[in-house]
Amino acid sequence: QNVKKGDEIRWTLSHEKFRGYVANNTNVTAIPIVMSYDNLVDSIEYLVIIKTAMGKCDIGISAMVDLKNNAIFITGFHIDKECILEQHHLAMPHPHNEDCKCMDSWDDASSITHLTIGNVNKYEMEHQRLNDEIRNKDAVISTLVWSQPLTSPSYSLSNISTSTVVTTSTSNASCNNQSQSNAQAQAQIPFQQNN
């Protein structure tokens, strides 16, 4: 559905309410729908219409059937009757589509644009928890970094025959690797001793 922000119609269901609708469902007829155009054989899924409360739109649950493992996998929840009908027509031969009544039982007295099943605040609470965890870890890292004494590299000169070699050592573990590699490169450059 092409709906502008602000024109959205949202419906939030608790897990318990949704399970109740599924448990009370008497329609076990599954209609085939096409969910992908890449490989029609593997992209056929089956949709069951779940009846909901009076005046609310129905919900379609699509599933894939795995015959090798004798299993069914739920692949999606559908709320747009027209879209489902198009997907169903793609899965069926033309003669079926001319007089198709497979979606006639869909109650679309009320249409919605967004369906949420479960706790809508769950992700907000999880987001807050993760932000708190990040702040705590940042505080620990900051404490560890700033509690280390900062020392500057020490230099020593030694005479080897007629040249002097500069050597460096760093005692600060938090020194930049680039600084260490520059110091090591400089340490290998011999300087001529002035007499």
Side-chain angles (χ1 to χ4, degrees), residues 32 45 139 155:
E45 297 181 11
Y155 298 97

Side-chain angles (χ1 to χ4, degrees), residues 146-160:
W146 292 110
S147 67
Q148 297 289 328
L150 296 175
T151 59
S152 60
S154 60
Y155 298 97
S156 64
L157 298 174
S158 61
N159 289 332
I160 302 177

Side-chain angles (χ1 to χ4, degrees), residues 41-98:
V41 174
D42 293 333
S43 63
I44 299 289
E45 297 181 11
Y46 296 90
L47 183 121
V48 173
I49 299 171
I50 303 296
K51 303 309 266 176
T52 62
M54 185 64 85
K56 296 283 189 180
C57 88
D58 292 338
I59 301 169
I61 300 178
S62 61
M64 289 184 81
V65 177
D66 181 357
L67 295 175
K68 289 181 186 175
N69 297 315
N70 199 25
I72 296 175
F73 300 97
I74 293 177
T75 57
F77 298 93
H78 304 263
I79 54 176
D80 186 341
K81 178 182 178 179
E82 293 304 316
C83 187
I84 296 168
L85 191 57
E86 288 174 15
Q87 292 168 313
H88 174 58
H89 285 171
L90 289 171
M92 301 303 290
H94 182 68
H96 170 87
N97 295 340
E98 288 180 350

Side-chain angles (χ1 to χ4, degrees), residues 81-139:
K81 178 182 178 179
E82 293 304 316
C83 187
I84 296 168
L85 191 57
E86 288 174 15
Q87 292 168 313
H88 174 58
H89 285 171
L90 289 171
M92 301 303 290
H94 182 68
H96 170 87
N97 295 340
E98 288 180 350
D99 194 32
C100 177
K101 301 204 183 310
C102 296
M103 292 293 293
D104 286 356
S105 67
W106 183 276
D107 183 6
D108 58 352
S110 161
S111 63
I112 60 172
T113 58
H114 294 76
L115 172 67
T116 304
I117 300 171
N119 183 356
V120 292
N121 297 320
K122 175 183 177 185
Y123 296 111
E124 186 176 317
M125 291 183 295
E126 181 68 6
H127 182 261
Q128 183 62 42
R129 185 191 68 76
L130 290 172
N131 278 338
D132 291 343
E133 189 176 320
I134 289 170
R135 272 194 297 281
N136 290 340
K137 289 184 179 184
D138 282 347

